[in-house]
Amino acid sequence: MRIGVIGAGSMGVILARHLARLGHHVSIANSRGPESLAALAAEIGATPASVVDAAKAGEIVILAIPTKAVADLPRGLFANVPSSVVVIDIGNYHPELRDGHIAAIDRGMLDSQWVAQQIGHPAIKALNNIFAKSLLEKGVPRGTRGRIALSVAGDSSGAKAAVLRLVDDLGFDPVHCGVLDDSWRQQPGTPAYCRDLDAAALRRALAEADRSRIAEYRAEQESRIKRRVSQPPGKKESQNV
């Protein structure tokens, strides 16, 4: 499969590395241009690309950038991208730590709904609720006891099915979270967020989440991240923020 990864932070690089190892043709891009990624791409088996080329790279495009950076993507980036192309938003909104306040999200729009609105293309929410270290190290073959599960939310059944298969290929049990309006259940701080749960436990965690507590969940998670960042070197856990 041809896959574009926009973003070369820890999560984007880990995904590009794993997907290239699985035999996919991976194009990776960042805001600094393909020349800045030449050495990294050669190391992980990917192709350095511009953001525009990565968006047109193939069947799946992964947005692995901070939420605030979505608004800075080239205008009309997905305007001529076929509707069949699956866009996966793996980002998380952190207003106090990184993104600044985005009014629409603060008023109740879900992270990935806002992302889809900004890019003018449907989005699937996935791969946002796992630590980078777990994504790098803990994928295992299907059927392995205690296999970590990851949830997927989106409105297109076909796009969701493609992402569920991708999650399985990466070494994690895929769990259907619902439509994009259900994606809040896997946003920062919820019971399903970054806890390395198996499929049964993840389904319970998704069901336990309380929509009225979205802002509270996020604030609690940001507080946890601040405490973790303040820990001495060697005690910090790699994370997907």
Side-chain angles (χ1 to χ4, degrees):
M1 194 171 352
R2 291 173 294 122
I3 300 174
V5 178
I6 297 176
S10 58
M11 293 291 287
V13 170
I14 291 167
L15 284 168
R17 185 186 300 274
H18 282 335
L19 292 167
R21 189 176 296 151
L22 288 168
H24 300 292
H25 184 277
V26 179
S27 299
I28 186 167
N30 64 11
S31 60
R32 296 185 299 278
E35 298 81 8
S36 68
L37 293 170
L40 171 67
E43 176 198 343
I44 65 178
T47 300
S50 69
V51 169
V52 171
D53 287 340
K56 298 175 181 177
E59 298 102 308
I60 292 178
V61 178
I62 299 172
L63 294 181
I65 57 178
T67 303
K68 67 177 180 181
V70 172
D72 296 327
L73 290 171
R75 293 190 65 180
L77 180 62
F78 289 92
N80 297 314
V81 171
S83 59
S84 59
V85 171
V86 178
V87 176
I88 307 173
D89 173 31
I90 76 165
N92 291 306
Y93 174 51
H94 286 289
E96 300 296 337
L97 290 176
R98 178 188 61 198
D99 295 313
H101 284 273
I102 297 172
I105 298 178
D106 289 344
R107 288 195 300 265
M109 181 177 283
L110 303 184
D111 302 12
S112 290
Q113 289 176 333
W114 183 83
V115 169
Q117 182 185 76
Q118 293 300 304
I119 66 174
H121 192 97
I124 301 293
K125 188 71 165 185
L127 299 162
N128 70 298
N129 59 335
I130 183 170
F131 286 124
K133 183 176 176 63
S134 296
L135 180 64
L136 177 64
E137 300 176 353
K138 296 185 179 180
V140 294
R142 185 186 312 162
T144 301
R145 185 183 178 91
R147 194 186 197 208
I148 294 170
L150 296 176
S151 47
V152 176
D155 294 334
S156 164
S157 57
K160 239 180 328 196
V163 180
L164 289 165
R165 288 193 297 271
L166 196 67
V167 167
D168 190 22
D169 289 345
L170 286 166
F172 304 92
D173 276 346
V175 169
H176 187 283
C177 178
V179 296
L180 197 61
D181 196 49
D182 295 310
S183 63
W184 62 271
R185 295 181 181 276
Q186 62 192 69
Q187 287 183 175
T190 60
Y193 185 76
C194 291
R195 292 180 59 197
D196 287 357
L197 304 173
D198 65 19
L202 179 58
R203 290 188 183 96
R204 289 194 297 270
L206 292 167
E208 289 167 8
D210 180 349
R211 188 162 190 159
S212 70
R213 295 184 58 200
I214 290 176
E216 181 184 346
Y217 286 140
R218 182 180 292 121
E220 290 173 349
Q221 181 63 25
E222 289 195 315
S223 293
R224 284 191 286 270
I225 293 171
K226 288 177 182 177
R227 289 195 299 271
R228 193 176 296 122
V229 168
S230 67
Q231 290 177 347
K235 292 187 177 181
K236 297 175 186 178
E237 184 173 11
S238 177
Q239 59 191 334
N240 175 14
V241 299

